[in-house]
C-alpha cells in the first residue's frame, strides 16, 4: 500500500470546488443557509482532501422546499400535474440534453467525493442517461396504451395514470446520481412535484445540474437541497406536506419516517432498503465461475452495493478449493485511488466504516471465525484492504448485519436445510445467488427460495440491472418495485373517465375528443 503515497493526486489539473448552492422554487440560492466542508474519500499523504463546501440546510429550509413543491402541485391543479404528457416528456428530454454537457464534471465529483473508480463513475452517469431514455420510451408506450378506450358492462372508459403529489426523493451515497434519478425522473415525468434531499456523500455532483433543473422545469417542480437527514426530514414529514417518499437507505430510518406522517393512509412509500444477499455454492458448482462472480458480487465498489453478495455459504466438499481460489484472486486485486488504471478497491467515503467493519470482524473471530487475509484493513487513509473470513458462525454479527464494505464472510454447510434455515430466518429478502448445475437440486432450491427473495441469480452475482428488470425485495429489504416499467406505476395512480355506452355518453366523449378540450381525456398519442 505504501506505494500510493508517491502517486499524483489525480489525472486532472484541478480538484473541483463545491459552491454550496440549492434550488428552491425555481431559484438557485447561494446564501441564507449553513454550509459544511466536503472531504474527498481519497487521501493525499494520508490526509483527507477538502473538495469545497456544500449546503447544510435547516429543517425550515427543507420545509420551504416542500412548500415550493406544494405550490407547484397546487392540490393537483398546477400546470405541471395537469400538463399533457408530451409537455413533460419534452422537459425531461431538454434536461437530459443539458445534463450530458456536464458529464465530465459530474463524474469527476462522483469519483472524488465517494471514491468511485473513474470508469465506474462514468458508467454510473451513462447508465443514468440510458435510464432517462428508456423511461421516455416507456412513458410513450404507456401513453399510447392509455389512449385506448375500454368497454365493459355498458360502460366505456379511458384509464390513465395520474400523479400522486409532492414527492420527497432521498437517494443513497453509493449511487448518488443513478439511484436518485431512478425515482426522481419517473416521479417528475408522471406529473409529481419533487424535493430531492441529497445523500450524505455524493453531494457536489448535483451542483453542475442545478441550472438544467431550473431552466427545464417550471418553478417549484424540482427543488434540491442537502442537510442532515435525521435532523431535517422528521419535521417536514410531520407537516403532512409530503405525499410520497422515495427512499433508498436503511429500514430503521424508513420506519421512523413512515411513522412521522400525520395521515399514514395518505402517505405512499417506495423503499429500497437493507440486504444481506447470500451466495450458495453447491458441490457441483463451476468453481472458477463461482469465485469470480462472488468476488465481483462481494467487492465491486468495495462491497458498497445494496445488491452486493454479503455472505458466502459453501458446501463443505468444495469449501477448501473455493476459498483457496478466492483468496488467490482477492490478494491479486488492485487497491488504490479511483483514478488509477485498473483499480478495484478504492477509499471508503464513510470515515467511520473501518471501525464498524473491525467490530464485525472481531465479533466473528470471538465466535470462532478465522481471518484468511491478515493484511486486511485500513492501510492508507480510508483505503480498506479486503478481509476474507472463513467459518463465520451464523449467530455472529457478520452473518446477520449488512456490512456494506469490503469484507467477505464465508461459512461451510453440509445440508441444504442449513442454508434454507438461514435465509428463511433472515430479516432480509432481496436476492440470492446459487452456484451449481444439478437441475434437480437447483430447481428445488428455486422453488424453496422464490418466496424468500425477489431475484434468484443462477451461476451469477446479484445485481440490480439491467434496469428494465424489477428491483424489489421482501421483509426489511424493500417496499414497492422499481424498474423502468414499474417506477412509472409506483409514482402514479390509475384514474379514469367513464360514461355509459349510450348516445349521450358517446356524444359527450366525442365532443371533448374532437374539440381537444381536455388534456386527460384525449386520444392524442406521443410518437
Ligand atoms: O446499491 C444498489 C444498486 O442499485 C446496485 O446496482 O447491482 O446494478 O450495481 P447494481
Amino acid at each position: 500500500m505504501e506505494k500510493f503515497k508517491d502517486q499524483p493526486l489525480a489525472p486532472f489539473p484541478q480538484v473541483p470546488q463545491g459552491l454550496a448552492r440549492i434550488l428552491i422554487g425555481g431559484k438557485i440560492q447561494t446564501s441564507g443557509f449553513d454550509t459544511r466542508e466536503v472531504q474527498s474519500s481519497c487521501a493525499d499523504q494520508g490526509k483527507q482532501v477538502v473538495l469545497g463546501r456544500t449546503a447544510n440546510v435547516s429543517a425550515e429550509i427543507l420545509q420551504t422546499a416542500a412548500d415550493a413543491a406544494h405550490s407547484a402541485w397546487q392540490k393537483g391543479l398546477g400546470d405541471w400535474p395537469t400538463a399533457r404528457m408530451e409537455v413533460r416528456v419534452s422537459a425531461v428530454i431538454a434536461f437530459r440534453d443539458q445534463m450530458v454537457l456536464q458529464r465530465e464534471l459530474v463524474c469527476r465529483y462522483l469519483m472524488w467525493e465517494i471514491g468511485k473508480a473513474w470508469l465506474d463513475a462514468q458508467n454510473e452517469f451513462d447508465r443514468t442517461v440510458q435510464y432517462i431514455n428508456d423511461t421516455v420510451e416507456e412513458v410513450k408506450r404507456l401513453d399510447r396504451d392509455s389512449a385506448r378506450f375500454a368497454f365493459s358492462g355498458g360502460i366505456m372508459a379511458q384509464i390513465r395514470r395520474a400523479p400522486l403529489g409532492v414527492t420527497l426523493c432521498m437517494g443513497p451515497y453509493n449511487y448518488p446520481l443513478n439511484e436518485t434519478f431512478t425515482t426522481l425522473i419517473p416521479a417528475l415525468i408522471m406529473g409529481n412535484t419533487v424535493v430531492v434531499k441529497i445523500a450524505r456523500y455524493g453531494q457536489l455532483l448535483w451542483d453542475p445540474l442545478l441550472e438544467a433543473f431550473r431552466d427545464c422545469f417550471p418553478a417549484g417542480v424540482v427543488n434540491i437541497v442537502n442537510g442532515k437527514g435525521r435532523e431535517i426530514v422528521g419535521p417536514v414529514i410531520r407537516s403532512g406536506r409530503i405525499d410520497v417518499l422515495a427512499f433508498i437507505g436503511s429500514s430503521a430510518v424508513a420506519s421512523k419516517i413512515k411513522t412521522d406522517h400525520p395521515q399514514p393512509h395518505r402517505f405512499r412509500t417506495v423503499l429500497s432498503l437493507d440486504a444481506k444477499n447470500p451466495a450458495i455454492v453447491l458441490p457441483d458448482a463451476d468453481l472458477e465461475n463461482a469465485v469470480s462472480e462472488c468476488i465481483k458480487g462481494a467487492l465491486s465498489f468495495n462491497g458498497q452495493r445494496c445488491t452486493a453478495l454479503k455472505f458466502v455459504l459453501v458446501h463443505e466438499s468444495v469449501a477448501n478449493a473455493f476459498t483457496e481460489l478466492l483468496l488467490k484472486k482477492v490478494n491479486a486485486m488492485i487497491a488504490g485511488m479511483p483514478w488509477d488504471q485498473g483499480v478495484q478497491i478504492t477509499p471508503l467515503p464513510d470515515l467511520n466504516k473501518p471501525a464498524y467493519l473491525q467490530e464485525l470482524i472481531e465479533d466473528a473471530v470471538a465466535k470462532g471465525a478465522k481471518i484468511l487475509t491478515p493484511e486486511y484493513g485500513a492501510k492508507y487513509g480510508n483505503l480498506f484492504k479486503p478481509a476474507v473470513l472463513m467459518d463465520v458462525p451464523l449467530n455472529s454479527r457478520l452473518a446477520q448485519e449488512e456490512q456494506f464494505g469490503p469484507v467477505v464472510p464465508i461459512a461451510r454447510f453440509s445440508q441444504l436445510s442449513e442454508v434454507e434455515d438461514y435465509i428463511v430466518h433472515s430479516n432480509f429478502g432481496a436476492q440470492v445467488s446459487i452456484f451449481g448445475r444439478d437441475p434437480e437440486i437447483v430447481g428445488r432450491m428455486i422453488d424453496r427460495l422464490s418466496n424468500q427473495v425477489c431475484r434468484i441469480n443462477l451461476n451469477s452475482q446479484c445485481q440490480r440491472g439491467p434496469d428494465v428488470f424489477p428491483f424489489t425485495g421482501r421483509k426489511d429489504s424493500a417496499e414497492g418495485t422499481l424498474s423502468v416499467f414499474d417506477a412509472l406505476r409506483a409514482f402514479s395512480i390509475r384514474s379514469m373517465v367513464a360514461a355509459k355506452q349510450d348516445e349521450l355518453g358517446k356524444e359527450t366523449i366525442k365532443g371533448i375528443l374532437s374539440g381537444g378540450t381536455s388534456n386527460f381525456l384525449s386520444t392524442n398519442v406521443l410518437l
Side-chain angles (χ1 to χ4, degrees):
M1 286 294 147
E2 292 307 298
K3 69 184 166 105
F4 297 113
K5 282 188 180 165
D6 304 323
Q7 293 212 345
L9 257 189
F12 302 112
Q14 288 179 335
V15 177
Q17 290 301 312
L19 301 166
R21 305 190 303 165
I22 57 176
L23 174 67
I24 296 182
K27 292 200 173 60
I28 294 175
Q29 301 180 15
T30 53
S31 59
F33 50 84
D34 286 345
T35 62
R36 69 167 184 81
E37 192 174 80
V38 182
Q39 291 187 338
S40 170
S41 66
C42 309
D44 176 23
Q45 305 295 316
K47 279 201 225 100
Q48 298 302 128
V49 175
V50 175
L51 293 178
R53 297 198 74 78
T54 184
N56 186 22
V57 306
S58 60
E60 289 71 31
I61 289 182
L62 180 60
Q63 185 67 57
T64 311
D67 291 347
H70 201 260
S71 301
W73 171 248
Q74 213 186 313
K75 292 196 182 296
L77 300 177
D79 290 346
W80 185 254
T82 56
R84 282 185 190 273
M85 186 56 89
E86 61 186 294
V87 172
R88 299 202 292 253
V89 165
S90 302
V92 167
I93 290 174
F95 171 79
R96 177 206 60 197
D97 292 346
Q98 285 202 36
M99 172 183 173
V100 295
L101 302 178
Q102 301 297 332
R103 182 179 185 274
E104 168 82 13
L105 191 52
V106 169
C107 295
R108 206 188 284 193
Y109 278 137
L110 196 52
M111 181 190 78
W112 270 102
E113 198 179 338
I114 64 165
K116 189 162 275 197
W118 180 234
L119 270 184
D120 292 340
Q122 293 175 84
N123 285 340
E124 178 167 347
F125 188 95
D126 296 342
R127 176 179 178 178
T128 307
V129 174
Q130 184 62 45
Y131 192 92
I132 297 174
N133 291 340
D134 291 346
T135 298
V136 165
E137 287 313 308
E138 186 59 41
V139 91
K140 286 181 183 171
R141 215 171 355 254
L142 181 63
D143 198 59
R144 283 197 292 275
D145 292 349
S146 310
R148 292 194 199 106
F149 275 75
F151 302 90
S152 183
I155 299 287
M156 53 185 168
Q158 194 184 49
I159 309 164
R160 287 192 178 276
R161 298 207 69 98
L164 296 166
V166 177
T167 302
L168 175 63
C169 288
M170 295 167 65
Y173 75 79
N174 58 337
Y175 283 84
L177 178 76
N178 180 261
E179 291 229 322
T180 314
F181 270 58
T182 61
T183 60
L184 168 62
I185 295 297
L188 280 176
I189 214 163
M190 293 310 289
N192 302 281
T193 60
V194 179
V195 177
V196 177
K197 206 295 282 169
I198 300 174
R200 66 193 154 121
Y201 311 111
Q203 305 205 331
L204 296 179
L205 65 92
W206 287 84
D207 192 79
L209 302 176
L210 292 187
E211 277 81 5
F213 278 118
R214 181 197 59 195
D215 296 345
C216 299
F217 297 99
V221 168
V222 191
N223 305 275
I224 298 171
V225 297
N226 37 350
K228 286 200 188 84
R230 79 176 55 162
E231 289 167 16
I232 64 175
V233 172
V236 78
I237 299 291
R238 286 194 287 278
S239 77
R241 289 244 161 155
I242 303 293
D243 304 303
V244 187
L245 170 72
F247 174 70
I248 301 173
S250 81
S251 59
V253 172
S255 293
K256 172 79 184 76
I257 297 176
K258 280 186 80 153
T259 52
D260 273 338
H261 200 281
Q263 291 156 305
H265 58 279
R266 286 194 183 190
F267 191 38
R268 293 286 185 99
T269 46
V270 182
L271 310 172
S272 183
L273 307 170
D274 323 323
K276 185 84 184 171
N277 307 313
I280 305 161
V281 184
L282 299 170
D284 65 346
D286 173 335
L287 284 193
E288 188 68 45
N289 171 64
V291 164
S292 89
E293 289 294 314
C294 282
I295 289 177
K296 268 193 274 170
L299 294 174
S300 297
F301 193 36
N302 314 304
Q304 300 170 119
R305 292 159 63 227
C306 50
T307 47
L309 284 172
K310 291 168 183 142
F311 197 35
V312 184
L313 295 139
V314 195
H315 190 263
E316 58 187 3
S317 61
V318 289
N320 289 344
F322 173 88
T323 312
E324 202 178 307
L325 196 52
L326 180 121
L327 265 183
K328 208 150 93 193
K329 294 195 180 210
V330 169
N331 286 332
M333 287 179 86
I334 302 171
M337 293 298 144
W339 49 84
D340 290 336
Q341 194 84 28
V343 71
Q344 292 163 298
I345 299 292
T346 55
L348 307 174
D350 181 355
L351 295 184
N352 300 319
K353 181 58 71 128
Y356 170 69
L357 296 177
Q358 185 61 28
E359 266 180 37
L360 296 186
I361 291 168
E362 282 171 15
D363 173 73
V365 169
K367 290 178 175 140
K370 287 182 279 303
I371 298 171
L372 303 182
T373 46
E375 292 292 304
Y376 83 91
K379 297 290 171 196
Y380 180 63
N382 232 26
L383 187 61
F384 193 99
K385 208 175 168 198
V388 179
L389 282 89
M390 189 57 180
D391 295 323
V392 172
L394 299 188
N395 66 351
S396 66
R397 290 177 62 193
L398 197 45
Q400 299 294 333
E401 293 179 27
E402 180 179 21
Q403 66 269 42
F404 214 73
V407 178
V408 189
I410 308 176
R412 295 171 219 260
F413 69 89
S414 53
Q415 305 293 325
L416 276 177
S417 56
E418 295 164 45
V419 173
E420 191 177 300
D421 210 48
Y422 170 75
I423 295 172
V424 167
H425 291 99
S426 164
N427 285 330
F428 310 97
Q431 301 193 18
V432 65
S433 288
I434 302 174
F435 296 93
R437 295 189 251 223
D438 184 336
E440 281 292 321
I441 295 177
V442 177
R444 214 167 49 241
M445 286 184 76
I446 290 172
D447 292 350
R448 306 283 293 172
L449 297 181
S450 56
N451 290 345
Q452 305 301 324
V453 295
C454 288
R455 177 162 167 167
I456 299 170
N457 302 279
L458 302 180
N459 294 308
S460 58
Q461 63 153 327
C462 296
Q463 62 184 54
R464 173 180 179 152
D467 291 322
V468 292
F469 290 130
F471 177 52
T472 185
R474 297 165 181 273
K475 304 186 202 170
D476 287 349
S477 288
E479 184 183 319
T481 302
L482 291 173
S483 73
V484 171
F485 173 92
D486 291 295
L488 295 176
R489 284 144 183 93
F491 293 101
S492 61
I493 187 166
R494 295 211 293 172
S495 191
M496 62 188 252
V497 178
K500 281 192 195 154
Q501 251 180 293
D502 56 13
E503 278 317 304
L504 179 59
K506 287 179 195 164
E507 190 190 313
T508 312
I509 286 181
K510 217 167 133 189
I512 295 166
L513 292 179
S514 57
T517 54
S518 167
N519 285 350
F520 186 98
L521 185 69
S522 163
T523 46
N524 291 345
V525 290
L526 274 166
L527 295 174

